[in-house]
Amino acid sequence: MPVVNPQKLIALQRNADDVRNICILAHVDHGKTSLTDALIATNGIISPKLAGKIRYLDSRPDEQLRGITMESSAISLYFSMSRRAAADEEPVQKEYLINLIDSPGHIDFSSEVSTASRLCDGALVLVDAVEGVCSQTVTVLRQTWVEHLKPLLVINKIDRLITELKMSAAEAYTHISKLLEQVNAVIGSFFQGERMEVDLQWRERVEERVAAAAAREQEKVERKAAKTSSNAVSAETESVATTGTDGEFEERDDEDLYFAPEKNNVIFSSAVDGWAFTVRQFASLYEKKLGIKRSTLEKVLWGDFYLEPKTRRVLGSKHLKGRALKPMFVQLVLDNIWAVYEATTGGNKGKGDPAMIEKITKSLSLSIPLHVLRSRDPRALLTAVFSAWLPLSAAVLVSVTEYLPSPSLAQANRLPTLLDASPAAAHIEKSIRTAMVDFHTGPDAPIVAYVSKMVAVRASELPQNKRKGGGLMTAEEAREIARTKRAEFARARKAAEAENQNGVNGIADALDSASLDKEQEPEPEPQEETEDPEHLIGFARLYSGTLAVGDEVYVLPPKYSPSNPHAAPEPPKVVVTGLYLMMGRGLESLTSVPAGVVFGIAGLEGHILKSGTLCSQLEGAVNLAGVNMGSQPIVRVALEPVSPGDLDKMIHGMRMLEQSDPCAVYEVLESGEHVILTAGELHLERCLKDLRERFARCDIQAGEPIVPYRESIVSAAEMAAPKDKSLPRGTVVSVTTSKHITIRLRVRPLPAAVTDFLESNVGLIRQLYAERKARETGKHGTVEDVEETAEHEDIDTAPHGANLISMIDFKEKLQDTFAETTSSSETWSTVVDKITAFGPRRIGSNILVDTTGNCEKFLQEEQQAHQLESNTDNGTQPSDGFTAKDFSDKISYAFQLATAQGPLCGEPCQGLAVFLEEVTIAATSDDESSFRDMSGRLTGEVIKTVRDSIRQGFLDWSPRLLLAMYSCEIQASTEVLGRVYGVITRRRGRIVSESLKEGTPFFTILSVLPVAESFGFSEEIRKRTSGAASPQLVFQGFEMLDEDPFWVPFTEDELEDLGELADKENVAKRYMDKVRVRKGLPVKGRKLVRDAEKQKTLKR
């Protein structure tokens, strides 16, 4: 097919009804890029013979080397087909513009999937016919559900059922049916979860309205003092319950959510062999032959329907009467495909059957070139037959244009829900909401665009820096090149003459001519070519209006709220310097972009970190930047340049990387280390490669990965005796350095259920703390004030649209969780009302409990807080000395410090309960000036004393380390199963489950693996299994390592088995010591000097 002119694609952007914005989503290695190649080949960009091999959208060298996609890439494709408005009318040629985004399937790059899905209206979800539903398949299906995309299922790699598993057509039909059920089960689970949530909200609304009606009626009753009011109350309440709340709960119809071939939302394909089909295609093929209407055939071609050979009637399974008939899908569809494979690649030692090929081509009326029929390559013949009979591009693109919605229809269905879930949705201006939902594209319509990510593009690849004309140069360009060549030739000749004469005059002449030539031909261009700086282009989607080069728009950050549009920092107004049509490896310049188009935009560099919203007005604008990233960065690595002089280059490069990568985060630690956070090992490798070769362009060395840990305590059976036997375990009595203040506190481990509850409600604790701070500063606690306070206090508020419970419900659930614990109820029965703070960073799963009554309680209602303040103000406070309340905030701050850096290795603590039992202040002199002088000194003493006391009480129990854990999913055959188990066990992993995929020789192994042991794990698995298995690692959380890092053998049996030096390695101590060495903390028993008497150097 000839190459499509970009001007034609640009012209098609104006007709939004013929535009389709789609993304391709799937698990890794399920065939996304191969399918994309086949679609790109229809536009003449690559040869159809290279489809599936060239991987056109994998433009990075490391993507080609590894064979996986790492960055989402977009390309615009042209598609035309003939359509009849009615059966008796002539076909009319209709043209479409397909904006296609290919996304990665590896779990490390799932943030790229999140950024791509918001820009699209529909999705092609690919599933491997052999591997079935994998972990990332569930993730991408959930992404389509959350983003309200209309999915189209593609069951890919059906050829593997023939060539690898050697299935018959009937067995393959059963296998595909079960696979379809698995995918629909995933969709059903999403629907069921949402349905239960909606049902709960409906019931809560009913109860609220009933209670409100009863309260109103009760007020009337009290006001009128009528004796017959009770009957009226019940009648009124009942009527409200039935009629005032929209009647009965309306069940949502879920029939349209599921995939079914008869609905034409399922495509069967083999991207590597270049064929695909839908049920509708075969229905049109058999319509005349069987004499059955196509609409009827579409309904019966899939499922338990059978064709009676004699009468050609369609029978259900009940009317078989014992006859062994094949299902129609097997008889009419799969048998024919199996026959093509048998005729081309089967039989006669894999060389095929020429006679059968001739028969097939005649029956299907296919014209195969003679040189292909005589070819010795059976695969060339196979692809030629299928490309003529069932071309992949036709089946996919026809389904996309017919089934997936245009931007105008998609925005009308998707945007109301997305807008309601956006921050401060009630303050969005009505004109903006209407323009987005109703798809206004006029010049007066407000401009609203969403930038999903920033893409780094070399300066030489920008359209304005490229020569236009596709290989043909203008006369002026030819003259310029000739002039440059003549100047270079003249300089070379003069230099050669100077060398031959070997005299000063000759050299001087050569230098003069060279300088003159340089003046005539300045040389900044070669320098620019060697540097080739990177530019950041925004990857965006326009929802309303028309955007043109030179327009001014506001750049709204993710924390922007329309309720307070001028909050500092006020969103900047930028000028659009360039618009681009995304064409995979290249860009095409645009002058303007209409709504409903995916495009690139220049001029946002330095104004958008990762994502943002563009709007033509600031007041009442919408914030679309709240995208849920699939994976959070967990792996930290400290970087430093090999040459100290390149530090500025490295810092600039890391900032560029942070803007261009949706998941990479750049931080500077308190120690001055420059740290990058990535989603996993493969993501880290890609980031380091980009830093060295593109952004920083200097040698950078990376330290060992910094893995997070947590510290906790447990009550173990074999704990050492308490340090102070006269006090309960964990109790510490400390005196400040000046002997003025005595503090008694007790550290206890929280019950596991309470710790899990606090970990799962971190967002609510954030919100409660922000509201409390807003209340303390005299504000009304509105959403804007909460966000402003949270930002000032360096904490994050809960995500908008999250289902947060109230403080009263939180207290009740926390109280119930404490009541369910098996420990004595006396200790935990009154804890909730005495909680003063959570930690660390005020949101963690550690609690500070004040039993003295001197600290302000965290979980108290606003009325109680005002009452407490009034009591405090009216109370008599001695003016001649300090009270315990004066140090309540210092004690809380010391608690935050102690839980942020535990005593084991300076990692955050988890699951601690610190009881403040007594604060005693010694009597001092009455000199008022001495109190003022003493105040600053006592503040530091109290903080230090409380912090050290908490750490001392921590070590009175049996300490534990919590390891960051990956959930690992591996698909492996029986031949390599033992090797996979060996690698997992060697790296301290634990097998959770193992299941055999029915109908395949593959096992799905689920295991957990410590993050600290995961580096090099994927590479080792591939080496041990010769590439037959590849793991998918997903961060799961923290899991306790049940081993005391300070344990030493002390019983007779332990000393007899292990000896005094404990021959068994203490894994917890090894992890702890490793972190202490990295942080520069002292390590007990570590030898700092080896062979001191010898003069030699040791490598670091």
Side-chain angles (χ1 to χ4, degrees):
M1 181 176 179
V3 180
V4 178
N5 191 345
Q7 297 302 322
K8 194 167 191 177
L9 301 176
I10 296 172
L12 288 174
Q13 290 180 345
R14 304 296 169 186
N15 190 1
D17 292 336
D18 296 335
V19 176
R20 300 291 185 271
N21 299 314
I22 63 171
C23 55
I24 300 184
L25 310 175
H27 189 77
V28 64
D29 288 335
H30 278 201
K32 298 180 297 298
T33 309
S34 300
L35 177 70
T36 307
D37 274 1
L39 302 182
I40 293 173
T42 61
N43 279 226
I45 299 174
I46 62 174
S47 169
K49 295 180 181 179
L50 298 177
K53 302 173 184 176
I54 195 170
R55 303 176 64 89
Y56 181 76
L57 290 185
D58 288 351
S59 55
R60 296 171 55 96
D62 48 355
E63 288 180 324
Q64 294 286 344
L65 183 64
R66 289 180 176 271
I68 62 173
T69 304
M70 297 184 184
E71 289 183 349
S72 55
S73 304
I75 191 168
S76 297
L77 301 177
Y78 166 81
F79 176 64
S80 65
M81 67 175 183
S82 299
R83 304 191 67 171
R84 284 189 174 93
D88 54 347
E89 293 185 6
E90 290 294 324
V92 179
Q93 195 76 8
K94 198 164 181 61
E95 298 178 331
Y96 294 92
L97 174 66
I98 313 292
N99 294 318
L100 176 70
I101 303 178
D102 182 24
S103 63
H106 197 280
I107 187 65
D108 280 9
F109 310 109
S110 56
S111 57
E112 295 277 351
V113 178
S114 304
T115 58
S117 58
R118 177 62 65 93
L119 303 179
C120 299
D121 304 317
L124 291 176
V125 180
L126 269 70
V127 179
D128 191 320
V130 174
E131 295 183 6
V133 177
C134 299
S135 59
Q136 197 66 4
T137 309
V138 178
T139 303
V140 299
L141 285 171
R142 183 181 291 109
Q143 192 69 37
T144 62
W145 180 269
V146 170
E147 293 292 339
H148 302 280
L149 301 181
K150 196 166 186 180
L152 192 63
L153 181 66
V154 181
I155 301 178
N156 194 25
K157 299 189 179 183
I158 294 181
D159 59 291
R160 294 183 64 189
L161 303 179
I162 307 171
T163 58
E164 292 183 21
L165 302 186
K166 308 295 183 183
M167 287 185 177
S168 64
E171 292 171 342
Y173 170 70
T174 305
H175 180 82
I176 295 172
S177 301
K178 292 180 179 179
L179 174 60
L180 199 58
E181 290 175 4
Q182 293 174 7
V183 178
N184 285 332
V186 175
I187 298 291
S189 66
F190 300 154
F191 172 77
Q192 189 64 23
E194 188 178 272
R195 190 257 179 215
M196 293 173 65
E197 186 177 342
V198 172
D199 185 23
L200 179 62
Q201 293 174 355
W202 179 81
R203 292 180 185 279
E204 290 177 351
R205 288 198 302 270
V206 169
E207 293 174 358
E208 289 176 359
R209 294 186 183 185
V210 169
R216 287 195 302 269
E217 196 63 29
Q218 188 65 28
E219 290 179 1
K220 293 180 181 179
V221 169
E222 293 176 355
R223 196 179 303 116
K224 295 179 180 179
K227 294 182 180 180
T228 59
S229 59
S230 58
N231 296 332
V233 170
S234 59
E236 177 77 12
T237 303
E238 186 175 354
S239 63
V240 171
T242 56
T243 62
T245 54
D246 303 329
E248 295 294 328
F249 178 75
E250 294 183 3
E251 289 284 354
R252 178 186 168 192
D253 186 15
D254 61 340
E255 185 180 355
D256 294 335
L257 301 177
Y258 301 112
F259 297 108
E262 60 269 19
K263 297 178 184 177
N264 292 295
N265 59 1
V266 179
I267 302 174
F268 307 89
S269 76
S270 170
V272 70
D273 290 339
W275 60 267
F277 67 89
T278 60
V279 167
R280 176 171 292 182
Q281 279 183 268
F282 274 93
S284 60
L285 288 175
Y286 286 107
E287 180 180 11
K288 294 181 179 179
K289 187 174 182 180
L290 298 178
I292 304 175
K293 291 183 179 180
R294 191 179 72 174
S295 58
T296 306
L297 268 179
E298 289 178 9
K299 297 177 182 178
V300 300
L301 207 51
W302 173 269
D304 294 333
F305 297 100
Y306 305 85
L307 184 66
E308 191 174 15
K310 295 181 180 178
T311 61
R312 292 188 176 182
R313 290 176 53 202
V314 178
L315 304 176
S317 56
K318 297 180 181 179
H319 301 87
L320 285 180
K321 298 180 181 179
R323 287 178 291 181
L325 298 179
K326 295 180 181 180
M328 291 181 65
F329 190 77
V330 176
Q331 182 181 358
L332 302 180
V333 180
L334 294 185
D335 278 347
N336 293 325
I337 294 175
W338 259 243
V340 173
Y341 273 92
E342 180 66 24
T344 54
T345 60
N348 193 17
K349 299 180 181 180
K351 295 182 180 180
D353 187 353
M356 194 172 180
I357 283 290
E358 186 178 356
K359 183 179 178 182
I360 290 174
T361 53
K362 285 184 179 180
S363 62
L364 296 175
S365 302
L366 304 179
S367 58
I368 307 297
L370 191 59
H371 69 277
V372 176
L373 291 172
R374 295 176 179 176
S375 173
R376 296 184 179 181
D377 183 9
R379 289 200 58 81
L381 182 58
L382 174 72
T383 55
V385 171
F386 274 122
S387 61
W389 179 33
L390 300 173
L392 183 143
S393 57
V396 173
L397 294 179
V398 168
S399 299
V400 164
T401 55
E402 291 183 350
Y403 185 76
L404 298 185
S406 62
S408 55
L409 294 176
Q411 289 186 198
N413 296 327
R414 291 179 62 207
L415 287 188
T417 307
L418 295 179
L419 291 176
D420 292 339
S422 64
H427 294 83
I428 299 175
E429 192 170 308
K430 188 176 180 181
S431 61
I432 292 181
R433 180 186 287 267
T434 304
M436 295 177 66
V437 174
D438 296 343
F439 197 72
H440 293 174
T441 60
D444 298 332
I447 297 172
V448 179
Y450 170 65
V451 181
S452 68
K453 69 170 185 174
M454 302 297 287
V455 182
V457 179
R458 298 182 189 275
S460 60
E461 296 177 359
L462 294 176
Q464 58 265 29
N465 298 332
K466 285 186 176 180
R467 178 167 42 82
K468 298 179 175 57
L472 299 176
M473 64 181 70
T474 62
E476 185 61 33
E477 289 175 338
R479 283 193 292 270
E480 184 67 24
I481 291 176
R483 192 182 302 115
T484 304
K485 292 292 184 184
R486 284 196 299 270
E488 290 177 358
F489 180 73
R491 285 197 297 271
R493 188 179 59 185
K494 291 287 183 69
E497 291 176 357
E499 284 185 7
N500 294 333
Q501 294 176 3
N502 198 14
V504 179
N505 294 331
I507 296 175
D509 293 339
L511 289 174
D512 290 339
S513 62
S515 63
L516 287 173
D517 288 335
K518 285 184 180 178
E519 290 175 2
Q520 295 172 1
E521 301 290 336
E523 294 185 353
E525 294 182 0
Q527 187 177 357
E528 287 182 4
E529 289 180 1
T530 55
E531 290 180 359
D532 199 10
E534 298 281 343
H535 293 276
L536 293 177
I537 304 296
F539 191 24
R541 157 80 182 266
L542 191 62
Y543 287 97
S544 69
T546 300
L547 186 64
V549 177
D551 287 351
E552 292 185 347
V553 290
Y554 288 97
V555 179
L556 310 180
K559 288 189 176 181
Y560 167 83
S561 175
S563 60
N564 191 8
H566 297 283
E570 187 169 339
K573 195 171 188 179
V574 301
V575 178
V576 178
T577 59
L579 297 172
Y580 304 103
L581 178 70
M582 313 289 278
M583 291 299 293
R585 301 184 181 185
L587 300 170
E588 294 291 337
S589 292
L590 300 173
T591 56
S592 63
V593 171
V597 173
V598 177
F599 62 98
I601 179 171
L604 306 179
E605 190 169 347
H607 300 286
I608 288 184
L609 180 60
K610 293 184 180 296
S611 63
T613 310
L614 305 180
C615 194
S616 55
Q617 65 186 56
L618 192 57
E619 289 79 9
V622 60
N623 183 5
L624 299 172
V627 174
N628 180 25
M629 295 301 170
S631 60
Q632 298 298 326
I634 185 65
V635 179
R636 297 185 177 206
V637 175
L639 306 180
E640 62 178 359
V642 175
S643 173
D646 293 333
L647 180 61
D648 292 338
K649 284 185 179 180
M650 188 191 76
I651 294 174
H652 174 72
M654 293 178 79
R655 287 174 179 162
M656 288 277 291
L657 175 67
E658 185 181 23
Q659 292 183 63
S660 63
D661 194 305
C663 198
V665 178
Y666 165 54
E667 288 182 353
V668 180
L669 302 183
E670 295 179 356
S671 59
E673 290 181 296
H674 298 274
V675 172
I676 186 171
L677 280 76
T678 60
E681 189 179 7
L682 183 59
H683 187 211
L684 173 62
E685 289 182 20
R686 192 196 76 177
C687 290
L688 290 177
K689 183 180 178 64
D690 284 347
L691 268 178
R692 290 172 180 141
E693 297 180 1
R694 299 179 61 186
F695 300 125
R697 299 190 181 182
C698 63
D699 292 333
I700 295 174
Q701 59 185 13
E704 291 189 5
I706 303 173
V707 179
Y709 294 88
R710 295 290 183 269
E711 301 180 18
S712 187
I713 54 175
V714 295
S715 177
E718 299 179 354
M719 287 189 296
K723 293 184 174 68
D724 191 344
K725 296 183 180 179
S726 63
L727 297 174
R729 184 181 293 276
T731 303
V732 180
V733 179
S734 301
V735 183
T736 59
T737 309
S738 61
K739 310 297 183 184
H740 282 104
I741 302 176
T742 304
I743 297 173
R744 171 173 170 153
L745 54 83
R746 187 184 183 193
V747 180
R748 292 201 58 188
L750 271 177
V754 177
T755 304
D756 295 339
F757 175 79
L758 294 178
E759 286 288 331
S760 60
N761 287 278
V762 169
L764 177 60
I765 299 174
R766 286 193 185 107
Q767 190 79 4
L768 294 179
Y769 173 76
E771 291 175 356
R772 175 186 172 187
K773 291 297 293 183
R775 188 171 64 239
E776 287 178 358
T777 53
K779 298 180 181 178
H780 298 289
T782 59
V783 176
E784 315 72 85
D785 298 332
V786 167
E787 293 174 354
E788 183 180 350
T789 304
E791 187 174 353
H792 178 71
E793 293 289 336
D794 193 24
I795 64 173
D796 298 326
T797 55
H800 297 279
N803 297 317
L804 297 179
I805 58 178
S806 64
M807 179 186 291
I808 299 175
D809 295 336
F810 176 73
K811 283 182 64 176
E812 291 178 354
K813 290 188 177 182
L814 184 58
Q815 188 70 51
D816 294 341
T817 309
F818 272 116
E820 293 171 359
T821 57
T822 56
S823 58
S824 60
S825 58
E826 296 179 0
T827 306
W828 308 108
S829 58
T830 59
V831 162
V832 176
D833 294 328
K834 298 178 181 178
I835 293 177
T836 299
F838 296 91
R841 297 184 72 242
R842 306 181 183 90
I843 57 172
S845 56
N846 307 291
I847 59 173
L848 175 62
V849 182
D850 175 33
T851 60
T852 64
N854 294 318
C855 299
E856 183 181 354
K857 304 303 181 287
F858 185 85
L859 296 174
Q860 63 181 354
E861 298 181 20
E862 192 170 357
Q863 296 178 356
Q864 297 176 355
H866 289 313
Q867 184 178 0
L868 182 63
E869 289 174 3
S870 61
N871 294 338
T872 303
D873 295 337
N874 296 332
T876 60
Q877 182 174 353
S879 61
D880 57 349
F882 293 108
T883 62
K885 290 184 179 180
D886 296 330
F887 298 101
S888 61
D889 56 338
K890 284 77 176 176
I891 294 173
S892 177
Y893 181 68
F895 167 74
Q896 302 294 339
L897 292 179
T899 53
Q901 294 184 343
L904 296 183
C905 51
E907 293 291 312
C909 297
Q910 179 175 312
L912 299 186
V914 179
F915 292 84
L916 183 64
E917 296 182 346
E918 185 180 356
V919 179
T920 306
I921 301 177
T924 57
S925 61
D926 296 335
D927 188 2
E928 188 174 340
S929 62
S930 64
F931 291 123
R932 288 195 299 267
D933 298 338
M934 200 185 303
S935 175
R937 176 167 52 83
L938 286 180
T939 296
E941 289 182 1
V942 169
I943 292 174
K944 180 179 181 299
T945 303
V946 174
R947 183 192 63 187
D948 295 343
S949 300
I950 294 175
R951 292 179 177 178
Q952 186 178 343
F954 181 101
L955 296 175
D956 212 9
W957 298 86
S958 182
R960 292 289 188 271
L961 273 181
L962 281 82
L963 308 182
M965 303 296 287
Y966 274 136
S967 172
C968 175
E969 178 181 326
I970 304 175
Q971 283 201 351
S973 59
T974 53
E975 291 83 5
V976 298
L977 207 57
R979 302 174 194 172
V980 171
Y981 279 9
V983 175
I984 294 175
T985 307
R986 190 162 51 252
R987 291 178 174 266
R988 302 189 57 79
R990 186 179 75 253
I991 305 296
V992 176
S993 67
E994 170 197 307
S995 59
L996 177 65
K997 278 193 174 291
E998 189 175 353
T1000 70
F1002 295 102
F1003 282 85
T1004 300
I1005 305 163
L1006 292 178
S1007 62
V1008 289
L1009 185 76
V1011 175
E1013 304 287 348
S1014 67
F1015 301 103
F1017 174 72
S1018 301
E1019 191 68 25
E1020 186 178 1
I1021 283 282
R1022 281 192 288 267
K1023 285 181 179 178
R1024 295 285 182 182
T1025 61
S1026 301
S1030 183
Q1032 287 277 299
L1033 300 175
V1034 184
F1035 180 65
Q1036 180 175 305
F1038 290 89
E1039 185 176 300
M1040 184 175 291
L1041 178 61
D1042 195 13
E1043 192 171 359
D1044 191 336
F1046 300 117
W1047 178 85
V1048 290
F1050 61 92
T1051 64
E1052 292 184 4
D1053 294 338
E1054 290 172 348
L1055 289 171
E1056 183 178 351
D1057 293 340
L1058 304 173
E1060 294 182 0
L1061 299 178
D1063 296 335
K1064 178 185 175 183
E1065 182 191 17
N1066 190 329
V1067 180
K1069 187 177 187 307
R1070 173 163 61 87
Y1071 288 142
M1072 182 185 72
D1073 291 346
K1074 190 175 181 181
V1075 178
R1076 292 184 73 90
V1077 169
R1078 176 174 58 80
K1079 293 185 175 182
L1081 301 174
V1083 178
K1084 186 178 180 181
R1086 182 189 178 204
K1087 291 183 179 180
L1088 299 178
V1089 179
R1090 286 184 292 167
D1091 301 326
E1093 71 281 359
K1094 298 179 181 179
Q1095 293 293 326
K1096 67 177 184 179
T1097 57
L1098 297 175
K1099 292 185 177 179
R1100 302 177 76 181

